[in-house]
Amino acid sequence: MDLGDEQPTRHEIGNRTYIVADVDPLDVDGIRTVSVGVGLWLLGFVALLPFYGRLEESGRGWWLWTCLAGFGLGLLGWEYCRRRKHTRDERRGH
C-alpha cells in the first residue's frame, strides 16, 4: 500500500541540516527490552545477596531491596507489554 507521501530524508532547521535514516524500529512491543531489565535487576539482587550483612552494617541494605523492587516492578511491566502485544496481534488478525 503506497500512500505516496514521500518523507524527506533531509531537514534543514536554521543553519543545521539533519539527515533522517529510513530504519525500522528494533523493539516495537518492548517485551525484549523489559525482559533484559528484569534479568539485570534479578542479577543485581543475586549478586548482592551474599553481602547482605556488610550492606546492612554500612547502611546500604536498601541496595538489595531496590534490586528486588526493580525485579518485581519489571515483572509487572513485562506482563503489561506481553498483554499489549497480544491485544495488538488480535486486532490485526494474527
Side-chain angles (χ1 to χ4, degrees), residues 9-91:
T9 57
R10 293 176 159 246
H11 295 287
E12 293 188 25
I13 301 173
N15 61 353
R16 293 187 177 190
T17 301
Y18 298 93
I19 299 174
V20 180
D22 186 25
V23 187
D24 291 331
L26 295 177
D27 186 13
V28 181
D29 53 34
I31 293 174
R32 184 179 322 139
T33 304
V34 174
S35 298
V36 169
V38 168
L40 290 173
W41 281 116
L42 181 61
L43 179 66
F45 178 79
V46 171
L48 290 175
L49 199 55
F51 305 104
Y52 177 69
R54 282 191 198 169
L55 289 170
E56 282 296 320
E57 287 173 6
S58 65
R60 293 187 178 99
W62 60 272
W63 288 8
L64 186 67
W65 306 119
T66 301
C67 291
L68 189 60
F71 173 71
L73 291 172
L75 287 178
L76 291 175
W78 178 77
E79 181 62 19
Y80 170 78
C81 289
R82 195 183 65 77
R83 286 184 184 195
R84 184 181 64 184
K85 180 183 185 307
H86 180 70
T87 302
R88 289 171 127 185
D89 287 348
E90 279 183 346
R91 287 184 184 163

